[in-house]
């Protein structure tokens, strides 16, 4: 039995499905936090949420969805549906970034975003993650978790509508080197694994 963790940090997830589900829990918490706060606290929580969503979605788009397409029976339509949902969320986040967090329009738009993100996470867990757990290679799922962690370190800080890869996200964002760093980090993990 492993000794208890006394650092106060959650243990690292061994496979990509567990890691992404853990991120979904963090996203759910931040969605609630944004609505529960006002002023600077709401703006801060929203920035944290935007960053986490950008990191999470970039890792999925670069690492998880490509594997799901090949490893899951009928994976292409499963991934296509998730990408449509992610695109809609990116457009909404972009609009929200331009609004005052205390404006009624922000709360209205954010509430709609919250519902769509929760629905997306549920669909992803049910239709993609559960099938990856059943049909994916356990060793590959562990390697993908390492790749997701590496991609997180260099992912963009803002999601970009119309960009479903780190390359497109980087070209549309302020740091064009993000895509190269993401690919390099992922390749290093796959070579080492």
């Amino acid at each position: 039995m492993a000794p208890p963790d006394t650092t106060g940090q959650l243990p690292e997830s061994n496979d990509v499905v567990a890691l992404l589900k853990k991120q979904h829990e963090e996203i759910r918490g931040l969605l609630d936090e944004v609505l529960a706060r006002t002023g600077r606290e709401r703006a801060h929580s929203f920035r944290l949420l935007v960053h986490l969503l950008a990191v999470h979605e970039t890792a999925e788009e670069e690492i998880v969805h490509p594997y799901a397409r090949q490893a899951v029976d009928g994976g292409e339509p499963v991934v296509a549906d998730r990408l449509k949902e992610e695109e809609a969320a990116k457009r909404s986040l972009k609009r929200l970034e331009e609004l005052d967090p205390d404006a009624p329009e922000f709360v209205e738009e954010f509430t709609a975003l919250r519902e769509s993100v929760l629905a997306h996470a549920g669909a992803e867990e049910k239709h993609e993650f559960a099938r990856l757990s059943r049909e994916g290679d356990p060793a590959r799922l562990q390697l993908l978790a390492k790749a997701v962690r590496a991609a997180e370190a260099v992912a963009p800080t803002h999601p970009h509508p119309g960009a479903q890869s780190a390359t497109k996200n980087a070209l549309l964002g302020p740091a064009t080197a993000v895509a190269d760093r993401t690919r390099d980090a992922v390749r290093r993990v796959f070579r080492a694994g």
Side-chain angles (χ1 to χ4, degrees), residues 33-55:
E33 194 174 298
V34 170
L35 284 178
R37 298 184 177 203
T38 59
R40 288 183 182 170
E41 290 178 348
R42 176 178 281 165
H44 176 73
S45 295
F46 180 67
R47 282 192 305 275
L48 292 175
L49 174 66
V50 168
H51 178 76
L52 180 55
L53 286 171
V55 167

Side-chain angles (χ1 to χ4, degrees), residues 81-135:
D81 289 344
R82 302 302 69 82
L83 289 173
K84 285 179 195 170
E85 296 161 359
E86 291 165 8
E87 178 63 23
K90 287 177 186 178
R91 285 191 306 270
S92 181
L93 283 169
K94 187 73 173 156
R95 287 190 303 270
L96 283 162
E97 285 183 312
E98 296 170 4
L99 296 174
D100 175 353
D102 285 324
E105 300 84 20
F106 179 93
V107 173
E108 184 178 323
E109 175 98 16
F110 187 84
T111 300
L113 170 71
R114 181 183 176 280
E115 294 308 312
S116 68
V117 168
L118 292 174
H120 167 73
E124 204 165 50
E125 290 172 9
K126 179 180 179 181
H127 300 294
E128 187 173 7
F129 296 174
R131 293 176 67 190
L132 275 173
S133 290
R134 284 192 312 268
E135 300 172 37

Side-chain angles (χ1 to χ4, degrees), residues 21-33:
K21 283 182 169 182
K22 180 178 159 257
Q23 287 180 348
H24 280 182
E25 287 305 311
E26 293 172 26
I27 290 166
R28 286 179 181 106
L30 282 170
L31 287 166
D32 292 341
E33 194 174 298

Side-chain angles (χ1 to χ4, degrees), residues 61-84:
E61 291 162 4
E62 288 294 312
I63 298 159
V64 180
H65 294 330
Y67 181 65
R69 281 185 178 109
Q70 68 170 16
V72 171
D73 186 36
E76 184 61 43
V78 169
V79 170
D81 289 344
R82 302 302 69 82
L83 289 173
K84 285 179 195 170

